[in-house]
Structure formats: structure tokens, C-alpha cells
Amino acid sequence: MEDIDVEVPKYFICPISLQIMRDPVTAITGITYDRESIEQWLLKGKSNNCPVTQQPLPTVSDLTPNHTLRRLIQAWCNENASLGVDRIPTPKPSIDKFHFLKLIKQLQHPDSKMKALKELDLLAAKNERNRKYMVEVGVPKAMLSFIVNCFKEDCVSGLEEALSVLFLIRIPSAEAKLLPKQNDQIIKSLIWVLGCEINTQVMVKSHAVSALKSIIETASSVVLERLEPKFFEMIVGVLKQCTTRITQQGINSALHVLLDACPWGRNRIMMVESGAVSALIELELGSPEKRTTELILGILFHLCSCADGRAEFLRHKGGIAVVTKRIMRVSPAADDRAVLILSLISKFSATSWVVHEMLEVGTVTKLCMLLQLDCATYLKEKTMEILRSHSDDWLKFPCIDKTVLT
């Protein structure tokens, strides 16, 4: 219609999209909108008010199909089809909550569960309204229960669909908090998925780590204190896989999981023993995106707070160099973590060769440069503390600005 001068009746136009309505619905305020436009307006949280009258609109369920207007629009489109106006088909009836409840029940029967899973996956991908209804009727919990059953039965059939549904609708934090008794089984089940060999394992494992992130970030301290070595071995294994075997989002989810588990000393020890330090440095050497770097440096800071973590950090020849390189190149948050890592190394593990390496890879120079920036006061103090602690050694080298060190 862009190149054809056709006058469209004003009441055919959606007030939001300013396009001809394909599925007109009338709100309780009396204003008619295209269903997709008003649902997106309400479901995505732009506002809970009617865009035209600014009166409150409770929910999408209060939208009434305007069949009369739809028929008028369809008739007008048919009459003007010769002028290039597209015909508008009759919209399919919208799916309600009862349909999703029916699909959840079908998951209990072996003969219908795969069909139900596939339909849930398709509906979740279709629109925001479906995803909202699925959360409200308990689909996330049903998917987690299905995955736990797969783990118990050692069966991978349906895992791809169930994890895809979880990824699309997310696990609401409020719902995750209602699963404390099942958390142990859910965590074990998702870790089991990471070890499964599945044809579509890139997406399956990425979605599994994403689900695990949602569970871990709302888990109680009791659950996080009971994590086992295998848990960290599998998560670190994810980080060691290149992006051809897991998505970038999957990597970030795995990093979030480790970061959430870091506050407990027992967990930090298990991470170090599982090879996390080396895996994180190798991942950072690949120059990942900003958020990934911030997560990596955050975890390394926690791991370097223990002696074994610092030893592993220094055992890797690229550790000090890559942390140094990230200063002033990523973000203030990355600067913060990088300086704190170097502070821990400088304070507790500064052998003569470490002090020399910090000079050789440019750590001293970078810290001197950081002092010239407008950064947080505590960060400057921490930087000065590092520089002064080994100034006697570094002053022996003519390339160092002695005024800064003294």
C-alpha cells in the first residue's frame, strides 16, 4: 500500500501501530486496538493504562474481540484488493490458560507427552501472551519436573523441548524460591544434562546452564553450601568448551553460576581443584565481550582470596598479563576487580619473580597510569598500596617514574 494512494478509514487504524488492524479488540475503556499491539503494550510493561484514555487496563483477558469491525475491515480490503491492498484472513481464536493446563496434564501420559512438549515449545516461541499464561499456570515447574524424571530414568527424549520452553519463558525468581525441597534434585538433573550427548547439544547445554543460573541465584545458603565437586567440574567443563559447543549466553550463565557460589570458602576450593582458574584465564585471553570479562574478573578475585587460588593463578603464564591488560580497557567494574586481584597477589604471593613479572608485563606502568584517571578514591589508594609495597625493587629499573613510587 506504500506506493498506492488509498484512503483508509480512520477507525480501521490501530492507535498504537498506526496500521490497519488485523485482529481488532476492544478494551474496557471502549477504545479498539489491534490485538498484537495492545497485548505487547500491556505484557511488556510499557504501561498498564489505555494509551488513548490513560485509564487503567487490568489484563489482556479483558480485551473483547470486535468481530463487527474485523468483518468491515476484511470487506474493505477485499474491495480494494485490485489496488494492492492485502486481504486480511480471519484470525485464529486466541489460546487461553485452560489450553496450557491441558497440555501440562498430557505430560503425565507417555503417549501424549512428546506432542504436548512440542506444542508448548511452539506456543512459547509464538508470543509474549502465551509465555505469560504459561508462567501463570505453572509450566516452568512442570518442565523442571519433567527434566528431573528424565534424570531419574536416564532418558534424553524430550529434553531439548523442555529446556527450550524453560529458556523462552524463563523461571520466575518467585517460582524458583518456591522449590527449596526440589532444588537438590533439579540441580543434579541439570548437571546431568551437561554430561549428556545429544545431537543438538549446543542449544541443550546452553539452555540447561541458563536454567541452572535461575535456580542457583535464588537458592538458599543451605543448598549452596551442599554443592558437590562434580557440580563445579561440569560448570568448568562448560567454560572450557569453545563457542562452537555452547553459546555466548551459555558461557555467561555458567560464569554467573560460579560467581553466585563464590562466597562460600568450600566452593572456592572445589572451583580451584576443578581447574576453574586456568579455564577463566584461557577464556579471558580470547578477548570476550565486556560483560564476560567483568564476570571472569569477579570470579578470579574470589578465587585469589585463597592461597591455592593464587598459586593456580600464578602458575598460568598469562594470568598477571591478561588482568593487567584489561585495566582501563573494559569498564570501571573491571578496573575494580583487576586492581583487587593484583592487590591480593602483591600482598600475599609476591615472590621476586612475581614482582619482576609485574614490571615486565606492564603492570607497574598500567597502575601508574590508573593514578592519573578520575577513578574512585579507594581504588587509587589500593593502587598506591601495590606500588609502594614493592617500590624498592621497582626503583632499580630506570624506566619507572620514581616520583610516583616515592
Side-chain angles (χ1 to χ4, degrees):
M1 288 183 59
E2 293 178 0
D3 301 325
I4 301 174
D5 187 15
V6 180
E7 185 176 351
V8 182
K10 292 182 179 179
Y11 55 92
F12 287 2
I13 302 296
C14 173
I16 298 175
S17 67
L18 302 181
Q19 301 294 321
I20 294 178
M21 291 182 279
R22 306 180 70 85
D23 185 9
V25 292
T26 303
I28 60 173
T29 56
I31 307 299
T32 299
Y33 302 92
D34 190 51
R35 181 185 291 277
E36 183 178 356
S37 297
I38 190 62
E39 284 184 349
Q40 290 296 318
W41 178 275
L42 293 172
L43 294 171
K44 290 196 172 181
K46 291 183 178 180
S47 172
N48 289 325
N49 295 335
C50 172
V52 175
T53 67
Q54 294 303 309
Q55 292 177 302
L57 291 176
T59 63
V60 294
S61 61
D62 292 308
L63 302 173
T64 304
N66 193 328
H67 298 299
T68 301
L69 180 57
R70 175 178 55 77
R71 293 190 187 99
L72 287 172
I73 293 173
Q74 287 177 319
W76 181 86
C77 289
N78 290 336
E79 290 173 4
N80 291 276
S82 61
L83 299 176
V85 178
D86 294 333
R87 289 184 173 87
I88 295 178
T90 301
K92 295 180 180 179
S94 59
I95 297 173
D96 57 20
K97 295 180 184 179
F98 297 104
H99 184 73
F100 293 110
L101 288 170
K102 179 182 176 182
L103 291 175
I104 290 176
K105 288 183 180 179
Q106 290 178 3
L107 293 173
Q108 312 302 320
H109 303 286
D111 296 336
S112 60
K113 67 178 182 181
M114 283 306 302
K115 182 180 178 181
L117 279 170
K118 290 179 180 179
E119 185 172 350
L120 284 169
D121 193 13
L122 288 172
L123 292 173
K126 191 173 183 180
N127 57 50
E128 187 69 25
R129 172 170 48 84
N130 287 349
R131 292 190 284 273
K132 181 179 175 65
Y133 284 163
M134 292 167 82
V135 169
E136 290 176 356
V137 301
V139 170
K141 186 176 180 180
M143 293 299 98
L144 290 170
S145 296
F146 180 86
I147 294 168
V148 169
N149 287 333
C150 287
F151 165 59
K152 291 178 179 178
E153 298 170 6
D154 195 23
C155 174
V156 299
S157 179
L159 274 179
E160 179 183 355
E161 290 78 9
L163 286 164
S164 176
V165 171
L166 276 181
F167 179 75
L168 288 167
I169 63 178
R170 308 297 180 186
I171 304 173
S173 57
E175 184 157 339
K177 289 177 181 177
L178 297 176
L179 302 169
K181 294 181 180 178
Q182 297 99 323
N183 270 351
D184 283 338
Q185 281 295 311
I186 292 171
I187 292 171
K188 287 180 181 178
S189 301
L190 292 170
I191 288 297
W192 166 76
V193 172
L194 296 180
C196 291
E197 291 296 328
I198 304 174
N199 292 334
T200 53
Q201 62 178 340
V202 172
M203 296 313 300
V204 168
K205 293 187 178 184
S206 297
H207 292 166
V209 178
S210 177
L212 192 61
K213 170 181 172 287
S214 298
I215 296 298
I216 291 296
E217 63 188 7
T218 57
S220 66
S221 59
V222 175
V223 171
L224 294 174
E225 287 171 350
R226 289 204 303 261
L227 295 175
E228 300 174 354
K230 185 178 179 181
F231 174 91
F232 295 105
E233 290 168 9
M234 297 304 295
I235 298 299
V236 171
V238 168
L239 298 179
K240 290 179 178 178
Q241 297 172 352
C242 58
T243 52
T244 57
R245 299 191 66 186
I246 190 166
T247 64
Q248 181 62 49
Q249 190 169 2
I251 289 174
N252 281 0
S253 293
L255 291 171
H256 270 289
V257 169
L258 292 181
L259 191 58
D260 286 337
C262 274
W264 287 268
R266 176 176 173 272
N267 291 344
R268 292 197 293 271
I269 291 172
M270 288 189 285
M271 287 184 211
V272 172
E273 291 175 347
S274 65
V277 175
S278 176
L280 291 167
I281 294 173
E282 288 294 327
L283 186 58
E284 186 56 39
L285 284 170
S287 299
E289 61 182 27
K290 170 185 169 182
R291 182 54 185 152
T292 305
T293 291
E294 290 174 345
L295 290 167
I296 288 172
L297 294 179
I299 300 166
L300 283 175
F301 162 67
H302 283 287
L303 298 185
C304 284
S305 66
C306 64
D308 289 346
R310 291 191 297 275
E312 287 299 312
F313 180 84
L314 294 172
R315 192 169 286 120
H316 194 294
K317 294 183 179 180
I320 294 177
V322 75
V323 169
T324 297
K325 188 176 181 181
R326 294 298 176 261
I327 296 176
M328 298 190 300
R329 287 195 174 189
V330 182
S331 67
D335 291 345
D336 180 280
R337 297 295 98 178
V339 170
L340 292 179
I341 290 169
L342 295 173
S343 175
L344 289 168
I345 297 299
S346 171
K347 187 173 183 179
F348 299 108
S349 305
T351 61
S352 57
W353 70 265
V354 168
V355 172
H356 186 269
E357 183 178 357
M358 292 177 75
L359 183 67
E360 199 171 52
V361 301
T363 304
V364 180
T365 301
K366 187 64 76 75
L367 292 174
C368 290
M369 292 170 64
L370 185 62
L371 287 176
Q372 313 307 315
L373 296 182
D374 185 22
C375 59
T377 302
Y378 83 92
L379 200 58
K380 286 192 175 186
E381 291 175 352
K382 187 64 68 174
T383 301
M384 283 302 301
E385 182 182 309
I386 299 171
L387 291 172
R388 286 170 175 163
S389 63
H390 304 290
S391 59
D392 290 344
D393 294 294
W394 291 328
L395 282 170
K396 298 175 184 176
F397 295 85
C399 59
I400 295 301
D401 186 348
K402 294 178 174 54
T403 60
V404 174
L405 294 179
T406 56

